[in-house]
Amino acid sequence: MANSVGNIYKFTVWGQSHAPQIGVTIEGLPAGTYIDQERLQSFLDRRRPGQNKYSTTRKESDTAVFAAGLNDASVTVGAPVTAYIVNSNTRSSDYEELKYVPRPGHADYPAMARFGEARDFAGGGQFSGRLTAPICIAGGIALQILEKRGITVTARPVMIGGETEEKKMLEAIEKARSECDSVGGIVECVIEGMPAGVGEPMFDGIENRIAQLVFGIPAVKGIEFGNGFRCAALRGSENNDPFVISDGRVSTLSNNHGGILGGMTSSMPIVFRAAFKPTPSIASEQRSVNIKTGENVSLRIRGRHDPCIVLRAVPVVEAAAAAALLDELYMCGNCRL
Amino acid sequence: MANSVGNIYKFTVWGQSHAPQIGVTIEGLPAGTYIDQERLQSFLDRRRPGQNKYSTTRKESDTAVFAAGLNDASVTVGAPVTAYIVNSNTRSSDYEELKYVPRPGHADYPAMARFGEARDFAGGGQFSGRLTAPICIAGGIALQILEKRGITVTARPVMIGGETEEKKMLEAIEKARSECDSVGGIVECVIEGMPAGVGEPMFDGIENRIAQLVFGIPAVKGIEFGNGFRCAALRGSENNDPFVISDGRVSTLSNNHGGILGGMTSSMPIVFRAAFKPTPSIASEQRSVNIKTGENVSLRIRGRHDPCIVLRAVPVVEAAAAAALLDELYMCGNCRL
Amino acid sequence: MANSVGNIYKFTVWGQSHAPQIGVTIEGLPAGTYIDQERLQSFLDRRRPGQNKYSTTRKESDTAVFAAGLNDASVTVGAPVTAYIVNSNTRSSDYEELKYVPRPGHADYPAMARFGEARDFAGGGQFSGRLTAPICIAGGIALQILEKRGITVTARPVMIGGETEEKKMLEAIEKARSECDSVGGIVECVIEGMPAGVGEPMFDGIENRIAQLVFGIPAVKGIEFGNGFRCAALRGSENNDPFVISDGRVSTLSNNHGGILGGMTSSMPIVFRAAFKPTPSIASEQRSVNIKTGENVSLRIRGRHDPCIVLRAVPVVEAAAAAALLDELYMCGNCRL
Amino acid sequence: MANSVGNIYKFTVWGQSHAPQIGVTIEGLPAGTYIDQERLQSFLDRRRPGQNKYSTTRKESDTAVFAAGLNDASVTVGAPVTAYIVNSNTRSSDYEELKYVPRPGHADYPAMARFGEARDFAGGGQFSGRLTAPICIAGGIALQILEKRGITVTARPVMIGGETEEKKMLEAIEKARSECDSVGGIVECVIEGMPAGVGEPMFDGIENRIAQLVFGIPAVKGIEFGNGFRCAALRGSENNDPFVISDGRVSTLSNNHGGILGGMTSSMPIVFRAAFKPTPSIASEQRSVNIKTGENVSLRIRGRHDPCIVLRAVPVVEAAAAAALLDELYMCGNCRL
């Protein structure tokens, strides 16, 4: 539980921001699966900071090293696959003063309540966005397997700081940075090529599972599929997607259902959107408390932080969706008969 | 998997709309827990159709009968608790013509692809909204346990058919019904009294778990916590909630985070909203296909359907949230030390 | 956990000896699976008491009723299957005096420590051998599916009261009964027809899984596969089974490994033995304690009890093995590629 | 599944004999738990080969390195704990000829059937006894936690090569080695200090869980609790353990039940025995087949192998038992109320 997810394609994410390593252990990869490590690394690099001026200047090489589960460093042997990334460039001293002063919008305060003095607060500990790198390893491998089955997963930002046009989105980030502030946004993800009828009923449907994984990405505060929240202002006659058949192939004339009906795929593209809150680490002064002294204090967060994590979150959303869908494919009764 | 959810307070929902029974088997209830069956039944009655003119005229008595797990029909013995509801008033003949013609917006088409001829299509089978009754049994019991710990769970509709004011919401339903149509809406749920630090990291956090359960309610297409999708237009300086301390008690001046940080409770009220699509069963003519003959057809759905399921969904949302939170409480490390 | 077992073919046993019902909820049955209810009932009847003079005279009709998951009461629809047995002929008054006096060899004392006053002590509550009936439902269905794949599961008693010859075994039971005593024994189970390579590594291998299920049968105190405990006096040169190939088919010249190597099937017959302790409920006087008064007491157990449960346990062992193996087959990577 | 075990104290073992690393990821360790790494290493050293003349001469340093989950390399932070051992001294060339020739008594043949050409056959791959080192890490940590609660776990060999007296056991090993053969044996494990009432009903009882873990140790072919297989020749009046009370403390006059009744602890010492088959790797010539050429062949296994793994298995049995019991303690309802 907690750091593990999946029924058959199942992985456990481990590590903290400033631990010696972060990593992932993956069960359920069929023996003989080729993993293209070069492509996987390229995928990880999309998440890596320091790629452009819109992200933190921290340097994280984020090289995935495979500790077990592969033959010739490329083909699965049917055992669990473990990969890790060595943490470096950690400046824990930046965090000393935060030991008793929770940062607004961060996991600090609940973590203090839960783990007490033992919690690892350096760099956000286990709640750091850094832990999305192992998710990208598990999801990046899933993406390669899905692709061989003709399934593609593509995410992109559709809103940042209230803006929906690329140039303006980037300007919103730049403006926030210059004002020691941050902005949130929305990532939309589209999956094409899924056959119909995949997804378990009730609590393990496509929506449930993608939601479970996507809410594992720090800063996500909402998710919607197809028309999502727009449904609340629609009528059934508007929202229902008529079925049509052509050359024996069933499809729908519109895709308000976002490719999912009853938790299962309809064969139409799966479409979902995830809402990200603005990065809580901002340089401007904020109110907080010192839980040791019991005093109200003012806090100024130091360190190197992203003014917007939405851009870097794009591959993470793809990874989460891919891992969820591969597991659903493996669970699907059709596949195991 | 699929019909089971939870790690410690864990339940399995079973049954189909027209099966002899629907029911639920619950594991993890501590021995000696008193279950107030009268209150539980009152809770179930809130979900039951035919309560007012805004829901279907089908009659479902929905009486929960306990088959096992209780002594004197009221106190748990430490074994799994199984309760069931006898299905009656089923008119399967209404559904014969739907065997090969999927209803737009329903699970029919993916279910055909997944289960083939064997699927139970009468009344929506296992995808029927009727299966939310067993969720209400599991959740209703959880609510009683939470209440003893001073935790309350309260949901209400905040939008129906685009309207946000009670009178107008009901008018929107009535208007949709009179026009053989349906409307969707949004249910907001507030949980008060949760201590800080509850919730597992990463994939078993409060948001992940509530989302997994809430997407188990048919028709839900989106969920957001706290500011949710509004975050996309906000800055960190606006969205961060400042901490303050007063009489040794830490709280936040605002609650944009909806009571959850890093997947864990902050002790502030948990706030989430779930978006429901308009009931897909509408009486007006719709386009569909006959998957046996391969022809495009027009479909008119008969039977007795809700023009809006949002009102009846309110207790179901409470039940889903309560079951999720009780399980998180049981999992919580603080509790097991 | 606890009352649930399996990864894909997964079932949850519920009920207590004197609850209104006992039953089982099964997930993972593929849609379209025909269940021969008549054969299933015949299988259950093998476990039922009162079949011959060697078992208790209690009458339990043990008729399995399907509450959900089937179409036309015979074909799975792809939803969980729930079946129950109505408890009747319960004489709870027999047990009143046992509330504070644990029966030697029974679960009573640990159950008191665990569940306190709330425990259901009538008829052994959730620890009653009666709960093996739902195991037989889940296992009996598994047996039918395995049989269609050419896999047979056959158990038989190989020792009772120290005797290994049928006539003497029955005499040992009869003699024990006449002396108000009971006897234990060993059941051997042979599974033929399993293909090679089935079974998950490490903790979910064939041995692990069969053991997990078989120890769920009350009174089992040991299990061994192939040569089992005899291995302790053997050399590798004696215990290793040489491989031979004939007409392209690999087999072993002997079967000391009992069909399992590295937790996986070798295609040779799977052979295991389970040791059953003598029925702890004996009519002769025994020493015990009254945990309420804190006094040492002498106890004479009333009621109708089996002088030996080994005969009735035979189909239960088959059921446990079948459920374990079907789940392993479903989990097997070969099957899902 | 497969390489993961446990509900709350849950760990995943990963690695193959000749992979870069072997390791374990542990979830469920409460924050603030001190891990004495020096003692843990001493515990691991008991399993390590080359300690005396009775084991293989291979050198494995088996140093556990903690990659994540600890602060100051000694206190858990509430995140998963990952530890690994770097593999070295691997001579894969020893195994080239075994690619298509399964070794009698080994997992080779089922692994070929299951994983095909992709399987990692060097050093036994994921089926190597080497994978018991990570089990010892997870179990060794559990032992430290249990000890703080006054619970001790002690295993010892009670039979080797048919001998039951220490000097003769060692002679049996020495004799087997000198004759290019191997011997099996039995390890007995005693756990003292467990409170009464721990253990989940039915499939997650103490016996089920210990069995599931112990069968995860390569070469184990049987397990029995208390009187175990001896029960088959006993009567209830002999096997039942009378309860007595003294100074308010309940105990049994004998311990034929091995500390477990109904899957739960009775507070008497838990006693179980595990049967180990003779090491299958023996230097003398054996019959096998070449599955590629389809020919019967004769095989002589090279490399450095233990003439008896029973001595080295002793700490592994302790580790498996400790991990099982700690998980049961955490699951126990008493603890979570």
Side-chain angles (χ1 to χ4, degrees):
Chain A
M1 65 181 103
N3 286 54
S4 300
V5 71
N7 282 321
I8 295 180
Y9 187 74
K10 182 179 155 192
F11 61 93
T12 305
V13 171
W14 45 269
Q16 311 106 255
S17 186
H18 290 206
Q21 303 176 357
I22 54 176
V24 66
T25 299
I26 307 169
E27 294 188 80
L29 271 167
T33 304
Y34 173 72
I35 296 177
D36 185 331
Q37 287 209 41
E38 205 170 317
R39 284 194 61 204
L40 180 63
Q41 192 57 52
S42 299
F43 179 69
L44 290 178
D45 288 347
R46 287 174 55 201
R47 192 210 72 91
R48 196 153 55 86
Q51 302 280 83
N52 56 48
K53 64 174 178 174
Y54 303 105
S55 69
T56 169
T57 56
R58 285 194 315 274
K59 274 184 201 153
E60 298 168 354
S61 73
D62 282 3
T63 306
V65 183
F66 284 79
L70 302 185
N71 251 343
D72 306 324
S74 59
V75 178
T76 59
V77 301
V81 168
T82 292
Y84 63 88
I85 292 168
V86 173
N87 279 329
S88 55
N89 198 247
T90 54
R91 300 206 315 227
S92 298
S93 56
D94 282 355
Y95 294 90
E96 260 317 312
E97 65 180 308
L98 300 175
K99 189 159 184 181
Y100 301 109
V101 179
R103 293 167 296 172
H106 270 283
D108 296 350
Y109 179 67
M112 287 169 181
R114 175 66 171 277
F115 303 113
E117 298 264 331
R119 83 183 175 104
D120 182 358
F121 57 91
Q126 62 181 306
F127 300 98
S128 166
R130 189 146 173 64
L131 271 294
T132 56
I135 296 178
C136 282
I137 296 174
I141 291 171
L143 279 168
Q144 293 188 13
I145 298 173
L146 291 175
E147 199 182 66
K148 278 181 218 150
R149 297 189 177 204
I151 299 163
T152 57
V153 180
T154 315
R156 67 192 173 94
V158 291
M159 181 181 282
I160 288 178
E163 305 291 345
T164 58
E165 191 247 299
E166 191 182 348
K167 189 161 166 290
K168 287 189 173 169
M169 290 196 234
L170 298 178
E171 283 170 5
I173 299 175
E174 198 46 43
K175 188 150 187 293
R177 180 215 302 278
S178 68
E179 296 170 12
C180 295
D181 212 333
S182 64
V183 281
I186 297 174
V187 172
E188 182 174 274
C189 185
V190 178
I191 299 102
E192 297 191 89
M194 285 289 286
V198 177
E200 300 296 304
M202 201 147 278
F203 304 117
D204 264 352
I206 303 285
E207 288 142 326
N208 315 62
R209 186 52 66 87
I210 288 180
Q212 192 197 356
L213 269 141
V214 166
F215 278 116
I217 307 171
V220 171
K221 295 302 280 186
I223 191 165
E224 61 177 8
F225 295 81
N227 268 352
F229 278 88
R230 286 188 297 281
C231 288
L234 294 176
R235 286 194 159 192
S237 57
E238 298 168 303
N239 191 57
N240 281 354
D241 299 302
F243 286 104
V244 289
I245 191 162
S246 172
D247 293 333
R249 202 181 160 279
V250 174
S251 60
T252 54
L253 285 176
S254 46
N255 189 18
N256 297 323
H257 68 293
I260 308 168
L261 291 168
M264 295 172 293
T265 51
S266 69
S267 83
M268 294 295 287
I270 296 173
V271 182
F272 72 89
R273 278 169 299 281
F276 288 79
K277 70 180 179 187
T279 323
S281 289
I282 53 177
S284 50
E285 192 172 299
Q286 298 182 85
R287 293 183 61 174
S288 186
V289 299
N290 184 313
I291 61 158
K292 196 166 191 185
T293 63
E295 292 170 316
N296 288 298
V297 300
S298 91
L299 169 73
R300 200 177 277 280
I301 297 173
R302 288 183 297 176
R304 301 150 293 169
H305 302 284
D306 292 282
C308 178
I309 52 87
V310 175
L311 298 182
R312 289 180 58 203
V314 168
V316 185
V317 169
E318 292 177 356
L325 291 171
L326 184 60
D327 191 41
E328 294 279 5
L329 271 170
Y330 284 160
M331 281 193 283
C332 177
N334 293 321
C335 313
R336 74 170 177 260
L337 287 177
Chain B
M1 63 181 104
N3 285 56
S4 301
V5 71
N7 282 324
I8 295 181
Y9 188 74
K10 181 180 156 191
F11 62 94
T12 306
V13 171
W14 46 268
Q16 313 106 255
S17 185
H18 290 207
Q21 304 176 356
I22 54 176
V24 65
T25 299
I26 307 169
E27 294 187 81
L29 272 166
T33 304
Y34 173 71
I35 297 178
D36 185 332
Q37 287 209 39
E38 206 170 316
R39 284 193 62 203
L40 180 64
Q41 192 58 51
S42 300
F43 180 69
L44 289 178
D45 289 347
R46 287 174 54 199
R47 193 212 72 92
R48 195 153 53 87
Q51 302 281 82
N52 55 47
K53 64 174 178 174
Y54 303 106
S55 70
T56 169
T57 58
R58 284 193 318 272
K59 275 183 200 154
E60 298 169 353
S61 73
D62 282 4
T63 307
V65 184
F66 283 80
L70 301 185
N71 251 343
D72 305 323
S74 60
V75 178
T76 58
V77 302
V81 168
T82 292
Y84 62 88
I85 292 168
V86 173
N87 279 329
S88 56
N89 197 250
T90 55
R91 300 204 317 224
S92 298
S93 58
D94 282 357
Y95 295 90
E96 258 319 310
E97 65 179 309
L98 301 175
K99 189 158 183 180
Y100 301 109
V101 179
R103 292 167 297 172
H106 270 283
D108 296 351
Y109 179 68
M112 287 170 180
R114 174 66 172 278
F115 303 113
E117 298 264 330
R119 82 182 176 104
D120 183 358
F121 55 91
Q126 62 180 305
F127 300 98
S128 166
R130 189 144 175 65
L131 271 294
T132 56
I135 296 177
C136 282
I137 296 175
I141 292 170
L143 279 168
Q144 293 188 11
I145 298 173
L146 290 175
E147 200 183 63
K148 277 180 220 151
R149 296 190 178 203
I151 299 163
T152 58
V153 180
T154 315
R156 66 188 175 96
V158 292
M159 181 180 282
I160 288 178
E163 306 292 346
T164 57
E165 191 247 297
E166 190 183 348
K167 189 161 166 287
K168 288 190 175 169
M169 290 195 232
L170 297 178
E171 284 170 4
I173 298 175
E174 198 46 45
K175 188 151 187 292
R177 181 214 301 280
S178 69
E179 296 171 11
C180 296
D181 212 333
S182 65
V183 281
I186 297 174
V187 172
E188 182 174 275
C189 187
V190 177
I191 299 101
E192 297 189 90
M194 286 289 286
V198 177
E200 299 296 305
M202 203 147 278
F203 303 117
D204 265 351
I206 303 284
E207 288 143 326
N208 315 61
R209 185 53 66 87
I210 288 180
Q212 192 197 355
L213 269 141
V214 166
F215 278 116
I217 307 171
V220 171
K221 295 301 281 186
I223 191 165
E224 60 176 9
F225 294 81
N227 268 351
F229 279 88
R230 287 189 297 280
C231 288
L234 294 177
R235 286 197 160 190
S237 56
E238 297 168 302
N239 192 58
N240 282 354
D241 299 303
F243 286 105
V244 289
I245 190 162
S246 172
D247 291 333
R249 201 181 161 280
V250 174
S251 60
T252 54
L253 285 177
S254 46
N255 189 17
N256 298 322
H257 67 294
I260 308 168
L261 291 168
M264 296 172 293
T265 51
S266 70
S267 83
M268 293 296 288
I270 296 174
V271 181
F272 72 88
R273 279 167 300 282
F276 287 79
K277 69 181 179 186
T279 325
S281 287
I282 53 177
S284 51
E285 193 172 298
Q286 298 182 85
R287 293 183 64 174
S288 185
V289 299
N290 185 311
I291 61 159
K292 196 167 191 183
T293 63
E295 291 170 318
N296 288 298
V297 300
S298 92
L299 168 74
R300 201 177 277 279
I301 298 173
R302 290 184 296 176
R304 301 151 294 171
H305 302 285
D306 293 281
C308 178
I309 51 87
V310 174
L311 298 183
R312 290 180 57 204
V314 168
V316 185
V317 169
E318 291 176 357
L325 291 172
L326 184 60
D327 191 41
E328 295 279 5
L329 271 170
Y330 284 159
M331 280 193 284
C332 176
N334 293 322
C335 311
R336 77 167 175 264
L337 287 179
Chain C
M1 63 182 103
N3 286 54
S4 301
V5 70
N7 281 324
I8 295 180
Y9 187 73
K10 182 180 156 191
F11 62 94
T12 306
V13 171
W14 47 267
Q16 311 107 256
S17 186
H18 289 207
Q21 305 176 356
I22 54 176
V24 65
T25 298
I26 307 168
E27 294 188 81
L29 272 166
T33 304
Y34 172 72
I35 296 177
D36 185 332
Q37 287 209 38
E38 207 170 315
R39 286 193 62 203
L40 180 64
Q41 192 57 51
S42 300
F43 179 70
L44 290 178
D45 288 348
R46 288 174 55 200
R47 192 210 73 92
R48 195 152 55 86
Q51 302 281 80
N52 55 47
K53 64 173 179 177
Y54 302 106
S55 70
T56 170
T57 57
R58 284 195 318 273
K59 276 184 199 151
E60 298 168 355
S61 71
D62 282 4
T63 307
V65 183
F66 284 80
L70 301 185
N71 251 342
D72 306 323
S74 61
V75 178
T76 58
V77 301
V81 168
T82 292
Y84 63 88
I85 292 169
V86 172
N87 279 329
S88 55
N89 199 248
T90 54
R91 299 204 316 226
S92 297
S93 58
D94 282 357
Y95 295 90
E96 259 318 311
E97 65 179 309
L98 300 175
K99 188 157 182 181
Y100 301 111
V101 180
R103 293 167 297 173
H106 269 283
D108 296 350
Y109 179 67
M112 287 169 180
R114 175 66 172 279
F115 303 113
E117 299 264 330
R119 83 182 176 103
D120 182 358
F121 56 91
Q126 63 181 306
F127 301 98
S128 166
R130 189 146 175 64
L131 271 295
T132 57
I135 296 179
C136 282
I137 296 175
I141 292 171
L143 279 168
Q144 294 188 12
I145 298 173
L146 290 175
E147 200 182 65
K148 277 181 220 153
R149 296 190 178 203
I151 299 163
T152 59
V153 180
T154 315
R156 66 190 175 95
V158 293
M159 180 180 283
I160 288 178
E163 305 292 346
T164 59
E165 191 248 298
E166 189 182 349
K167 189 163 165 288
K168 288 191 173 166
M169 290 195 231
L170 297 178
E171 284 170 6
I173 299 175
E174 198 46 43
K175 188 151 187 293
R177 181 214 302 280
S178 68
E179 297 170 10
C180 295
D181 212 333
S182 64
V183 281
I186 297 174
V187 172
E188 182 174 276
C189 187
V190 177
I191 298 100
E192 297 192 90
M194 285 289 287
V198 177
E200 299 296 305
M202 201 145 279
F203 303 117
D204 264 352
I206 303 284
E207 289 143 326
N208 316 62
R209 185 53 67 87
I210 287 180
Q212 192 198 357
L213 268 141
V214 167
F215 278 115
I217 307 172
V220 170
K221 294 303 280 186
I223 191 165
E224 61 177 8
F225 295 81
N227 269 351
F229 279 88
R230 287 188 298 280
C231 288
L234 295 176
R235 285 196 161 191
S237 57
E238 298 168 302
N239 191 57
N240 281 353
D241 300 301
F243 286 104
V244 289
I245 191 163
S246 173
D247 293 333
R249 200 181 161 280
V250 175
S251 60
T252 55
L253 285 175
S254 46
N255 189 17
N256 297 323
H257 67 294
I260 308 168
L261 291 167
M264 295 171 292
T265 52
S266 70
S267 84
M268 293 297 286
I270 296 173
V271 182
F272 72 89
R273 278 168 301 283
F276 288 79
K277 69 180 179 188
T279 325
S281 287
I282 53 177
S284 51
E285 194 172 296
Q286 298 182 86
R287 292 183 63 174
S288 186
V289 298
N290 185 313
I291 60 158
K292 196 168 190 182
T293 63
E295 291 170 318
N296 288 296
V297 300
S298 92
L299 168 74
R300 200 176 278 278
I301 298 173
R302 289 183 296 175
R304 302 150 293 171
H305 302 285
D306 292 281
C308 178
I309 50 87
V310 175
L311 298 182
R312 289 180 58 201
V314 169
V316 185
V317 169
E318 291 177 356
L325 291 171
L326 184 60
D327 191 41
E328 295 278 6
L329 271 170
Y330 285 160
M331 278 193 286
C332 175
N334 293 321
C335 312
R336 75 168 176 261
L337 287 179
Chain D
M1 63 181 103
N3 285 54
S4 301
V5 70
N7 282 322
I8 295 180
Y9 188 73
K10 183 179 157 193
F11 63 92
T12 305
V13 171
W14 46 267
Q16 310 107 255
S17 186
H18 290 206
Q21 304 176 356
I22 54 176
V24 65
T25 300
I26 307 169
E27 293 187 82
L29 272 167
T33 305
Y34 173 72
I35 297 177
D36 184 331
Q37 287 209 42
E38 207 171 315
R39 286 194 61 204
L40 180 65
Q41 193 56 51
S42 299
F43 180 70
L44 290 178
D45 288 347
R46 287 174 55 200
R47 193 211 71 92
R48 197 153 54 87
Q51 302 281 82
N52 56 47
K53 64 175 177 174
Y54 302 105
S55 70
T56 170
T57 57
R58 284 194 317 273
K59 275 185 202 152
E60 298 168 355
S61 73
D62 283 2
T63 306
V65 184
F66 284 81
L70 301 184
N71 251 343
D72 305 324
S74 61
V75 178
T76 59
V77 300
V81 168
T82 292
Y84 63 88
I85 293 168
V86 172
N87 280 328
S88 56
N89 198 247
T90 56
R91 298 206 316 228
S92 297
S93 57
D94 280 357
Y95 295 89
E96 258 318 311
E97 63 180 310
L98 301 174
K99 187 158 184 180
Y100 301 109
V101 179
R103 293 166 297 173
H106 270 282
D108 296 350
Y109 179 68
M112 287 168 180
R114 175 66 172 277
F115 303 113
E117 300 264 330
R119 83 182 175 103
D120 182 357
F121 56 92
Q126 62 181 305
F127 301 97
S128 166
R130 189 148 173 62
L131 272 293
T132 57
I135 295 178
C136 283
I137 297 174
I141 291 171
L143 279 167
Q144 293 188 12
I145 298 173
L146 290 175
E147 202 182 63
K148 276 180 221 153
R149 296 188 178 205
I151 299 163
T152 58
V153 180
T154 315
R156 66 191 174 95
V158 292
M159 180 180 282
I160 287 177
E163 305 292 347
T164 58
E165 192 249 298
E166 190 182 348
K167 188 163 166 288
K168 287 190 174 169
M169 290 195 232
L170 297 178
E171 284 169 4
I173 299 174
E174 197 48 42
K175 188 152 186 293
R177 180 214 303 278
S178 68
E179 297 171 13
C180 296
D181 212 334
S182 64
V183 282
I186 296 174
V187 171
E188 182 174 276
C189 186
V190 178
I191 299 100
E192 297 191 269
M194 285 289 287
V198 177
E200 299 295 304
M202 201 146 280
F203 303 117
D204 265 350
I206 302 284
E207 288 143 328
N208 315 61
R209 185 53 66 86
I210 288 180
Q212 191 196 356
L213 268 141
V214 166
F215 278 115
I217 307 172
V220 171
K221 295 301 279 186
I223 190 165
E224 60 177 9
F225 295 82
N227 268 351
F229 279 88
R230 287 188 297 281
C231 288
L234 294 176
R235 285 196 160 191
S237 57
E238 298 168 301
N239 192 57
N240 280 355
D241 300 303
F243 285 104
V244 290
I245 191 163
S246 172
D247 292 334
R249 202 182 159 279
V250 175
S251 60
T252 55
L253 285 175
S254 46
N255 189 17
N256 297 324
H257 68 292
I260 308 168
L261 292 167
M264 296 170 294
T265 50
S266 71
S267 83
M268 294 295 288
I270 296 173
V271 181
F272 73 89
R273 278 168 300 281
F276 287 79
K277 69 180 179 187
T279 324
S281 288
I282 53 178
S284 51
E285 192 173 297
Q286 299 182 85
R287 292 183 62 174
S288 186
V289 299
N290 184 312
I291 61 159
K292 194 167 192 183
T293 64
E295 291 171 318
N296 288 296
V297 300
S298 91
L299 169 74
R300 201 177 276 280
I301 297 173
R302 290 183 295 176
R304 302 149 294 170
H305 303 284
D306 293 281
C308 177
I309 52 87
V310 174
L311 298 182
R312 290 180 57 204
V314 168
V316 185
V317 169
E318 292 176 355
L325 291 171
L326 184 60
D327 192 39
E328 294 279 6
L329 271 171
Y330 284 159
M331 280 193 284
C332 177
N334 293 322
C335 314
R336 74 169 176 262
L337 288 178

